[in-house]
Amino acid sequence: MDFVAAIGRIFLAFLSHVGRLSAFAGTALSHIVRPPFYPRLTLRAMVEIGYYSLPVVGLTAVFTGMVLALQSYSGFSRFAAESAVATVVVLSITRELAPVLAGLMVAGRIGASMAAEIGTMRVTEQIDALTTLSTNPFKYLVAPRLLAGLLMVPCLVLVADIIGVFGGYIVGVYKLGFNPSSYLARTWEFLEPIDVISGLTKAAVFGFIISLMGCYHGYYSRGGAQGVGAATTNSVVSAAIMILIFNYVITALYFGK
Amino acid sequence: MTAPAKIVLSDVHKSFGKKVVLDGADLSVAKGESVVIIGGSGTGKSVLLKSILGILRPEKGSITVDGEEVIGMRSKARDRMMLKFGMLFQGSALFDSLKVWQNVAFGLIQGRGMDRDQAHAIAIEKLAQVGLAESAGELFPAELSGGMQKRVALARAIATSPEIIFFDEPTTGLDPIMADVINDLIVECTKELGATTLSITHDMASARKIADRIAMLYKGRLIWVGAAKDIDHSGNEYVDQFIHGRAEGPIKMELRA
Ligand SMILES: Nc1ncnc2c1ncn2[C@@H]1O[C@H](COP(=O)(O)OP(=O)(O)OP(=O)(O)O)[C@@H](O)[C@H]1O
Ligand SMILES: [Mg+2]
């Protein structure tokens, strides 16, 4: 009986979390579209997410592209399909690896810092102070970050696409001895708009998830430094898990059949 | 009381889990009046103020401000109502990402849409009133001492010249001379600007100076409410024990080994 009760409790706790998160997301979305807007804060969040994440995302992309070229070359040589390397690199990067890896890296960088910042504001009563100064915390804190995540992660992924392909090109040409112009021709040959577009769709969803989890866990953190620490961890873990789940869902929607 | 009631609490109950904090609190504050709440540490004075502000939601009872019920008020109506309020938080709750003057000007710029130059001038003026130089306005809150932060928070609370101002321990952590300057400032807010104020203090000298009426909170109720001049012959043994700071009496400190 105790066991069943425990499972029931966990399930109920899970449902109440889902409910609270949905309500949070709904409220935040409604504040994105209704004035007053905070363009300054949105811009600042966009710079924080887009610009300052460039090095880490770029580094991830270039090494992923390089590894991908090496791996597929050695794997495909078993059935004499080395010529497919360029195509494999560009398809894997644009469809999968750039959005997922960039999403995970940004979740670690941005989700954590959002949760820590908003969480600290919560436990030091700064969020309460906002409301007493007639400023809605959803509008002032959450909406700019959600919007910035939604817009900037696709930009990052577009850059990661280019850098990742470039990484593959470097290895392909300088290490594996492909002819530069035929490697590039191969890269373009089978690439279709949907490959890039599906990747950017993922990026937008991931960006939204990252900001949402950062803000949500920060907003509901309690109890001081320890609570803020827990909020930071939870925001990164839950964003990462949701990114992996939504990655599958979006892939299935685009390429399911 | 001839003036109409500005804030009316009736039968307000608030608990956290099993812990009952407010247990049927009744209080009425007239327009232009200064009421001081006294009571032991942890009796729920801050909770009382936060309930009026809608930061905490009581389970039972009614709180009206200008005749409008605030418990369960919608967020838009609340944002509007907050324009009437100024609040000094016990822990200051300054925005640590903003400079001192931006903190003070926050309610003017964000809440009321004033332009920055004008708001800056008012912020500097308010800082001067709490004994802080213009140069302090360019610092960040983390660069100030605790007492200075408190004064900045006070300047922020009064910057918009609100109709109703709450001061949660305004003089705690200040030297006696500065405390008296702040007392004078609070008196000025009520006497000259006609604000309705509700303050919390442990400092009886300060309470005598700023209060028209004093209310004592004990075990979740306001057990004594009377004119400040009557505090020394209240005929209430709890009040007597409190204002003389005696360890012996009907109020037993719950000390645990
Ligand atoms: N957010 C909260 N969650 C749980 N309990 C709380 C919360 N806020 C306050 N309490 C409890 O409510 C009681 C009253 O707290 P409150 O801050 O109102 O005390 P206070 O009268 O202002 O004391 P002090 O003079 O020390 O500031 C305390 O016992 C505290 O434990
Ligand atoms: Mg308190």
Side-chain angles (χ1 to χ4, degrees):
Chain A
M1 266 325 276
D2 272 0
F3 181 67
V4 176
I7 290 184
R9 250 199 316 277
I10 291 170
F11 186 64
L12 286 180
F14 172 75
L15 284 187
S16 89
H17 260 291
V18 171
R20 197 169 70 166
L21 177 61
S22 314
F24 185 89
T27 313
L29 280 174
S30 79
H31 282 288
I32 289 183
V33 295
R34 279 184 296 153
F37 304 113
Y38 293 99
R40 251 171 199 278
L41 294 171
T42 311
L43 204 65
R44 192 191 299 165
M46 285 171 74
V47 170
E48 183 60 38
I49 297 176
Y51 185 69
Y52 291 110
S53 301
L54 270 177
V56 63
V57 168
L59 213 64
T60 312
V62 76
F63 278 103
T64 307
M66 286 162 68
V67 161
L68 207 55
L70 272 187
Q71 286 279 26
S72 46
Y73 184 82
S74 88
F76 285 13
S77 63
R78 293 178 190 168
F79 44 94
E82 297 95 330
S83 60
V85 166
T87 311
V88 168
V89 168
V90 71
L91 289 192
S92 324
I93 290 279
T94 54
R95 281 184 174 205
E96 267 310 303
L97 294 169
V100 171
L101 293 179
L104 293 176
M105 295 309 280
V106 175
R109 227 193 127 252
I110 298 297
S113 87
M114 280 183 189
E117 189 179 349
I118 296 181
T120 305
M121 291 187 74
R122 162 62 71 200
V123 300
T124 56
E125 299 186 321
Q126 292 178 50
I127 293 185
D128 296 334
L130 269 183
T131 61
T132 67
L133 293 162
S134 305
T135 304
N136 192 308
F138 274 93
K139 272 203 187 350
Y140 188 79
L141 294 174
V142 181
R145 287 173 168 81
L146 284 181
L147 200 59
L150 196 67
L151 296 176
M152 290 321 282
V153 178
C155 297
L156 278 173
V157 166
L158 201 59
V159 174
D161 284 348
I162 295 165
I163 296 180
V165 168
F166 176 72
Y169 171 84
I170 297 284
V171 168
V173 170
Y174 293 100
K175 190 164 166 60
L176 307 174
F178 282 96
N179 174 293
S181 58
S182 71
Y183 186 96
L184 283 183
R186 276 284 181 167
T187 299
W188 287 113
E189 198 177 347
F190 296 104
L191 184 68
E192 286 179 27
I194 187 95
D195 300 322
V196 176
I197 290 169
S198 68
L200 296 183
T201 313
K202 288 178 179 182
V205 173
F206 297 168
F208 183 78
I209 289 175
I210 292 164
S211 295
L212 181 69
M213 294 328 268
C215 294
Y216 171 78
H217 287 286
Y219 194 83
Y220 286 107
S221 67
R222 55 192 65 239
Q226 202 177 13
V228 175
T232 310
T233 312
N234 289 341
S235 77
V236 176
V237 172
S238 57
I241 291 173
M242 283 179 69
I243 283 175
L244 296 176
I245 295 173
F246 274 86
N247 181 41
Y248 180 81
V249 173
I250 299 170
T251 308
L253 287 178
Y254 267 105
F255 308 110
K257 295 183 292 266
Chain B
M1 280 297 126
T2 44
K6 193 85 178 160
I7 305 170
V8 180
L9 283 80
S10 52
D11 196 33
V12 176
H13 291 252
K14 171 75 197 169
S15 19
F16 295 98
K18 284 205 183 70
K19 185 178 172 61
V20 177
V21 177
L22 298 179
D23 188 18
D26 295 295
L27 182 69
S28 161
V29 184
K31 187 169 188 310
E33 189 185 27
S34 168
V35 172
V36 167
I37 301 176
I38 57 173
S41 182
T43 46
K45 304 181 296 298
S46 300
V47 168
L48 187 80
L49 291 195
K50 287 181 193 166
S51 301
I52 303 173
L53 292 167
I55 294 168
L56 294 172
R57 185 175 180 157
E59 293 89 42
K60 197 174 148 222
S62 139
I63 300 174
T64 60
V65 175
D66 287 331
E68 233 183 318
E69 178 65 49
V70 298
I71 298 178
M73 193 178 234
R74 294 179 59 86
S75 78
K76 204 161 197 171
R78 184 178 306 287
D79 289 348
R80 191 161 26 77
M81 194 190 76
M82 281 301 155
L83 290 171
K84 294 180 190 170
F85 280 91
M87 166 80 180
L88 165 66
F89 284 84
Q90 190 170 358
S92 298
L94 296 175
F95 304 125
D96 42 31
S97 61
L98 299 180
K99 287 180 182 168
V100 163
W101 80 264
Q102 291 171 322
N103 265 281
V104 178
F106 194 92
L108 297 167
I109 296 174
Q110 306 296 354
R112 312 194 170 202
M114 186 183 280
D115 73 73
R116 289 171 73 84
D117 290 340
Q118 203 181 345
H120 182 262
I122 295 179
I124 298 304
E125 180 192 322
K126 297 292 172 187
L127 284 172
Q129 285 185 10
V130 296
L132 290 168
E134 183 169 352
S135 57
E138 292 301 317
L139 300 175
F140 284 92
E143 298 168 316
L144 303 180
S145 76
M148 289 164 89
Q149 290 180 4
K150 190 116 222 181
R151 288 185 276 151
V152 174
L154 196 119
R156 182 175 72 178
I158 63 174
T160 57
S161 309
E163 293 169 41
I164 306 170
I165 319 176
F166 291 174
F167 299 102
D168 196 341
E169 307 201 6
T171 57
T172 310
L174 301 182
D175 66 80
I177 300 171
M178 189 47 76
D180 207 49
V181 171
I182 297 303
N183 288 337
D184 285 337
L185 185 60
I186 294 174
V187 170
E188 188 186 311
C189 284
T190 36
K191 295 288 170 323
E192 282 164 36
L193 307 176
T196 307
T197 61
L198 190 54
S199 320
I200 294 174
T201 186
H202 293 293
D203 173 358
M204 288 313 297
S206 165
R208 286 171 211 272
K209 186 152 186 179
I210 63 182
D212 294 324
R213 284 193 301 149
I214 296 180
M216 167 132 177
L217 186 65
Y218 180 69
K219 293 229 160 133
R221 293 164 171 271
L222 291 149
I223 54 163
W224 185 84
V225 184
K229 59 181 173 9
D230 297 334
I231 189 86
D232 291 308
H233 27 88
S234 61
N236 183 310
E237 48 186 339
Y238 293 90
V239 175
D240 274 343
Q241 184 192 350
F242 189 86
I243 64 174
H244 296 112
R246 285 192 292 257
E248 280 85 44
I251 307 176
K252 296 277 178 276
M253 281 290 146
E254 289 177 19
L255 299 177
R256 292 192 191 90

